[in-house]
Amino acid sequence: MTVSASTIAAIRFGYGYHPDQPPPRGADDLLTQIRRGTRARPIFPVEPIAKRADEVRRMFAIRKASGRSDEFRQMRRKIRHKTVREGVDGLLHRALSPNGMFERLTAFWLDHFSVGFRNAVHTRTLVPFEHDAIRAHLNGRFADMLTAVAQHPAMLVFLDQGASIGPNSRAGSRRGRGLNENLAREILELHTMGVDGPYTQKDVREFAELLTGYGVKLRDGAFQFFPTRAEPGAETVLGTTYGGDPPRAEHAHALFEDLAMHSATADHIAHKLAVHFVADDPDPDLVRHIAAAWKRSRGNLPRVYEALLDHPAAWDAFGAKVKRPEELIVSTLRAGGLTRAEAKAIDRRPRSHIIRDLKRMNQPLHQPPGPQGWPEDAEAWITPQGLAARLDFAGTTGQRLAKARQDLDPRRFAQTALQDALRPETAFAVGGAPERWEGLALVLASPEFNRR
């Protein structure tokens, strides 16, 4: 079965077809989506992190005054519910956005720089992390994105950077506290060079010493460098010396730049991009092609995306990837052509169907299994439990769609959602479904809708 470049562009590199938006025709349209997405405002407004910090301070003031009172618990629930609503709004934004590839790249980089729920305070930093560290730098230099990530409160709290104190710093000498290597290790092992990268434990430790002083300012929840916690003197990482006295936050920037341009970083992230967008076991020549563009451009991400899209292997073997649950939900909302109001109504807040469905399909919102992010391979998602959850999602969502959109015909829905990827067997089954909701459910449960 031959699938057109337009269908591959819409479903593999975006979140699928939308009945009221023109589909991308190929690589040029996808690159235009990235540029448009860079300039686009969020559909759902995002509160600045300072306002969120003030909310958290008020919660702690209540606890200080009255302990874990009903007022405190109510405030904590309110903060938690706001974070859940923001998470659902983020998925709705992806479903409504005309810039599918920009949204898919946002999801890729969020997973690459994975941060997860720690506590009620930490959750208030997760949405700003997406907007300030990822979206703002997605179409620029990787070095700038890496710097923004390493200095964002969401990452600093997630990896306990506040507990990392230079042993010979003023604070370390006074308190007898030492290094926490989490941030340094994850930057090397996950964010840049990869687990097999050419670094040693000594490099990790010296990098961790260079990062001492990185922390979060309690007053407004923003990044702050604390000189009294910083290890004095220069550090040597990968054979190069960085920093000196007095310690400054900018001393680590030079290392971020060097890591961003390292050949091991190019190879590691090129492979991750190919795996995420194209296949669990991608064509080695595609990976080399992307890595070469990274090295030539010194981590200029627009050149990297162009390389991904201009290789023939990126347009082969439609359906090689299984949609993860989050992708499945977003593409469902998108194919249904739901308006913002309809999407919110179908989710029945505050008891969110979307949150429940994500959890049942084993990808709970803001709760990745660790700093490594969510698995990509089909075997992680197509399990007996996973298939049962997908079938349940298809059935219940088919009923919700049928109720929300009385004019939604299953045959038209199948054609809208899949175009020339629709198999004759699926079209026949959908057309013969006894109930309208069952026809919609058959589309959502079909192999071609669950793959890209």
Side-chain angles (χ1 to χ4, degrees), residues 3-71:
V3 176
S4 67
S6 180
T7 293
I8 292 175
I11 298 177
R12 172 175 290 172
F13 295 106
Y15 284 103
Y17 285 105
H18 188 291
D20 301 321
Q21 294 178 6
R25 292 163 296 182
D28 288 345
D29 284 353
L30 293 172
L31 293 171
T32 297
Q33 288 183 354
I34 298 172
R35 290 191 291 270
R36 280 201 317 248
T38 304
R39 301 188 297 269
R41 289 186 173 185
I43 295 173
F44 302 91
V46 177
E47 289 180 341
I49 202 163
K51 186 173 181 180
R52 296 160 186 266
D54 182 64
E55 183 180 59
V56 170
R57 280 200 310 275
R58 284 188 282 115
M59 181 185 74
F60 283 126
I62 292 170
R63 189 175 74 174
K64 184 176 181 181
S66 58
R68 294 182 177 272
S69 61
D70 288 342
E71 185 183 7

Side-chain angles (χ1 to χ4, degrees), residues 83-84 86-87 115-118 123 126-127 130 363-368 374:
T83 301
V84 168
E86 287 176 336
V115 293
F117 171 79
R118 290 293 299 270
T123 59
L126 298 181
V127 173
E130 174 181 337
Q363 196 181 14
L365 183 72
H366 295 322
Q367 296 179 58
W374 294 103

Side-chain angles (χ1 to χ4, degrees), residues 92-282:
L92 297 182
H93 171 89
R94 292 178 195 173
L96 296 169
S97 172
N99 305 311
M101 186 159 186
F102 181 88
E103 298 302 326
R104 281 291 310 285
L105 283 166
T106 298
F108 169 81
W109 288 116
L110 275 173
D111 197 53
H112 180 74
F113 294 110
S114 197
V115 293
F117 171 79
R118 290 293 299 270
N119 50 50
V121 176
H122 184 236
T123 59
R124 302 302 287 141
T125 68
L126 298 181
V127 173
F129 178 75
E130 174 181 337
H131 285 267
D132 301 339
I134 303 300
R135 288 177 176 269
H137 301 283
L138 183 154
N139 202 32
R141 299 187 323 132
F142 178 73
D144 294 333
M145 184 188 289
L146 178 62
T147 302
V149 164
Q151 294 185 342
H152 198 279
M155 185 63 72
L156 296 172
V157 174
F158 182 59
L159 295 178
D160 294 316
Q161 180 60 22
S164 187
I165 301 200
N168 300 304
S169 67
R170 277 189 285 164
S173 302
R174 188 167 62 248
R175 302 178 194 175
R177 295 169 62 183
L179 288 177
N180 183 316
E181 297 179 352
N182 288 354
L183 181 59
R185 185 176 303 281
E186 305 308 357
I187 288 176
L188 291 172
E189 184 174 299
L190 299 176
H191 303 160
T192 59
M193 306 176 79
V195 67
D196 297 319
Y199 57 86
T200 66
Q201 172 55 31
K202 183 175 183 296
D203 291 318
V204 173
R205 181 174 179 83
E206 299 248 341
F207 189 7
E209 291 180 349
L210 189 66
L211 292 172
T212 52
Y214 275 40
V216 179
K217 185 164 44 177
L218 295 178
R219 183 171 58 82
D220 60 9
F223 169 79
Q224 181 171 344
F225 185 75
F226 297 89
T228 58
R229 302 180 190 175
E231 181 71 3
E235 312 295 342
T236 300
V237 183
L238 301 171
T240 300
T241 300
Y242 302 91
D245 288 324
R248 296 199 305 270
E250 294 77 15
H251 287 162
H253 292 189
L255 178 51
F256 296 151
E257 292 278 347
D258 289 346
L259 288 173
M261 298 172 195
H262 199 285
S263 61
T265 300
D267 294 339
H268 174 58
I269 301 182
H271 185 264
K272 286 195 70 171
L273 280 165
V275 167
H276 178 76
F277 280 100
V278 182
D280 291 347
D281 186 18

